[in-house]
Amino acid sequence: MASLQNSPSLHRSLFFNSLPQPHSHVAPAFSCCSRRPSSLLVRADASVSPDRPGRRQMLAVGLILPSVTLLSQNSVSFAAESKKGFIPVFDKKDGYTFFYPFGWQEVTIEGQDKVFKDVIEPLESVSVNVIPTNKEDIKEFGSPQEIGETLIKKVLAPPNQKTKLLEAKERVVDGKTYYTIEFVAKAPTYTRHALSTISIANGKFYTLTTGANERRWGKMKDKLKTVVESFTLSNV
């Protein structure tokens, strides 16, 4: 576990997973700090009432074009397996796939490979981080409980937030081991209930994290569990 706890690159790269920044704006599509252009620019302004008539419908219409683009880039078989209410992501370069809820928008955050979030409920998001590793299996870092405790205290939440690990478990898909952890991170003005799944393949350490405000957990938990369970890796 010492190698995981003392990995500066892991800490720097994954720290932003738990910084939802409720009043932040989407970075410009061609910002000098952006890793890739955003498919559609959206201003996530918390001052606009989420109850404004037609707002979600307008956002849904705005997502049709980038959604079609995403699907056209994926294989036919993967698209055929799409779940109702979710949009598939297939990253051929880094070798991972997952689903995210329809209505979330892709945004650009430095240090993250991909980020999708709800522009009305900014704590509802999913992010993927990929960093190099010389390990070949996630088990080399320890048990799900050990890694879960380390990640939520050192990486997945800011040091001023109080964290609690709720569950840590293991799953195996096509011979690859994945650890999934459930935790809460309490900030002064909100509590985020989150799920993360981590694994190793292709000489890389993958982390997918999704979550929501604790007050909306009951409504969102099934969707968020679908997101983490859909995350799979392939050899590239």
Side-chain angles (χ1 to χ4, degrees):
M1 285 299 295
S3 59
L4 179 61
Q5 293 173 336
N6 299 324
S7 172
S9 61
L10 180 63
H11 291 190
R12 287 195 303 269
S13 301
L14 299 180
F15 184 70
F16 291 102
N17 276 338
S18 58
L19 299 179
Q21 302 175 357
H23 300 287
S24 66
H25 295 149
V26 176
F30 296 98
S31 165
C32 64
C33 297
S34 301
R35 296 193 62 178
R36 54 168 57 83
S38 177
S39 60
L40 182 66
L41 293 181
V42 173
R43 180 183 175 89
D45 193 338
S47 65
V48 179
S49 170
D51 298 322
R52 185 176 178 179
R55 179 166 173 77
R56 283 194 179 273
Q57 289 86 343
M58 292 172 65
L59 289 172
V61 172
L63 284 167
I64 291 176
L65 182 57
S67 299
V68 172
T69 302
L70 274 173
L71 288 170
S72 66
Q73 294 173 346
N74 298 337
S75 67
V76 175
S77 60
F78 186 74
E81 297 173 358
S82 298
K83 298 180 181 294
K84 184 178 180 180
F86 291 84
I87 297 175
V89 175
F90 184 28
D91 191 306
K92 294 182 179 180
K93 177 182 177 182
D94 289 314
Y96 64 81
T97 65
F98 68 95
F99 296 102
Y100 68 91
F102 182 80
W104 288 11
Q105 176 59 46
E106 183 174 11
V107 298
T108 302
I109 296 180
E110 184 180 7
Q112 297 297 300
D113 201 62
K114 276 188 175 61
V115 180
F116 296 88
K117 68 187 297 182
D118 188 315
V119 298
I120 297 175
E121 295 286 347
L123 290 180
E124 294 173 13
S125 65
V126 58
S127 61
V128 178
N129 186 273
V130 184
I131 61 172
T133 181
N134 58 4
K135 304 295 185 182
E136 295 184 356
D137 192 290
I138 194 66
K139 292 182 179 180
E140 295 180 50
F141 282 115
S143 68
Q145 183 79 21
E146 290 173 326
I147 294 183
E149 291 285 2
T150 298
L151 287 178
I152 66 172
K153 291 178 180 179
K154 305 286 187 179
V155 178
L156 296 177
N160 64 336
Q161 292 187 4
K162 184 178 180 180
T163 59
K164 181 180 180 180
L165 181 65
L166 303 178
E167 185 179 30
K169 59 185 181 180
E170 174 184 326
R171 65 187 173 100
V172 177
V173 180
D174 295 332
K176 290 185 174 61
T177 301
Y178 301 78
Y179 287 171
T180 299
I181 61 173
E182 179 180 348
F183 65 97
V184 291
K186 296 182 179 180
T189 58
Y190 63 87
T191 297
R192 190 175 194 233
H193 199 138
L195 296 165
S196 289
T197 187
I198 56 178
S199 189
I200 289 176
N202 307 309
K204 300 172 183 178
F205 187 105
Y206 298 79
T207 305
L208 177 145
T209 300
T210 186
N213 194 308
E214 182 66 76
R215 64 178 172 80
R216 284 176 54 82
W217 176 253
K219 180 178 181 179
M220 293 298 298
K221 63 180 180 180
D222 289 341
K223 286 186 178 181
L224 301 183
K225 288 180 179 180
T226 295
V227 173
V228 296
E229 290 170 1
S230 72
F231 186 70
T232 55
L233 304 176
S234 58
N235 295 326
V236 294

